[in-house]
Amino acid sequence: MLTSAGWEIVSSKIDPSGHKSAKCVHKQTAKVAAKEKAELDAKIAKFENGEDGFIRYGEPPKCGYSVNAATGTREAGVSVFRAKFVGNSYKVEYSTPDMLWSGETLKCQRDAYRVWGEVVGTGSDGEPVVKISRYEMI
């Protein structure tokens, strides 16, 4: 009955009191999960040898600096996120929960810019602060 409904019995056993149990896997669900895992593994592998760089959500300020959200003071440069690039594709490398939250929130609201420059500090969420030499929207 299980097999006709798309299930596969992986193992079965009878405990000392005579109760039967089985470990089952739904074949179609397992197939979809394996495909999704393979796709995710391919996406991860794509960026393993990617070029290190920076991404910013929202055009960098013309004045060349960001304001620290926690203190309200001017930073030494512009807040960005570390990323790996393969062409115009990128994978952001968040290193703290605050960076993940702020980065994914900004990603939904602003255009992405690839940024080049020198790290000159750390922002309030732990993100790099960069003295920008060049940037372009991607």
Side-chain angles (χ1 to χ4, degrees), residues 18 22 25 31 40 44 46 50 57-58 63 65 69 75 78 80 85 95 103-104 117 121 127 138:
V25 173
K31 185 177 177 180
L40 180 59
I44 291 169
K46 173 182 176 177
Y57 298 115
C63 63
Y65 63 87
E75 294 181 324
V78 177
V80 297
F85 290 87
S95 58
E104 290 302 300
E127 78 280 10
I138 53 176

Side-chain angles (χ1 to χ4, degrees), residues 9-130:
I9 299 172
V10 178
S11 64
S12 62
K13 65 181 181 178
I14 301 173
D15 69 17
S17 61
H19 293 99
K20 297 178 183 179
S21 64
K23 180 178 179 184
C24 302
V25 173
H26 189 259
K27 292 179 189 179
Q28 186 60 30
T29 302
K31 185 177 177 180
V32 169
K35 181 182 176 201
E36 288 175 351
K37 183 182 181 319
E39 289 170 355
L40 180 59
D41 288 346
K43 286 179 183 178
I44 291 169
K46 173 182 176 177
F47 291 100
E48 281 181 0
N49 295 315
E51 182 183 353
D52 290 328
F54 304 104
I55 194 86
R56 176 172 170 88
Y57 298 115
E59 186 173 5
K62 302 283 185 223
C63 63
Y65 63 87
S66 299
V67 175
N68 185 305
T71 64
T73 59
R74 175 181 159 171
E75 294 181 324
V78 177
S79 295
V80 297
F81 298 99
R82 292 189 187 280
K84 290 278 190 181
F85 290 87
V86 175
N88 280 342
S89 297
Y90 62 91
K91 178 179 141 299
V92 181
E93 298 179 331
Y94 301 117
S95 58
T96 69
D98 287 337
M99 285 174 59
L100 173 63
W101 181 87
S102 61
E104 290 302 300
T105 300
L106 292 170
K107 182 180 183 178
C108 297
Q109 301 168 350
R110 300 179 181 177
D111 292 326
Y113 289 80
R114 178 148 187 202
V115 173
W116 289 264
E118 175 188 352
V119 176
V120 292
T122 303
S124 60
D125 290 335
E127 78 280 10
V129 173
V130 172

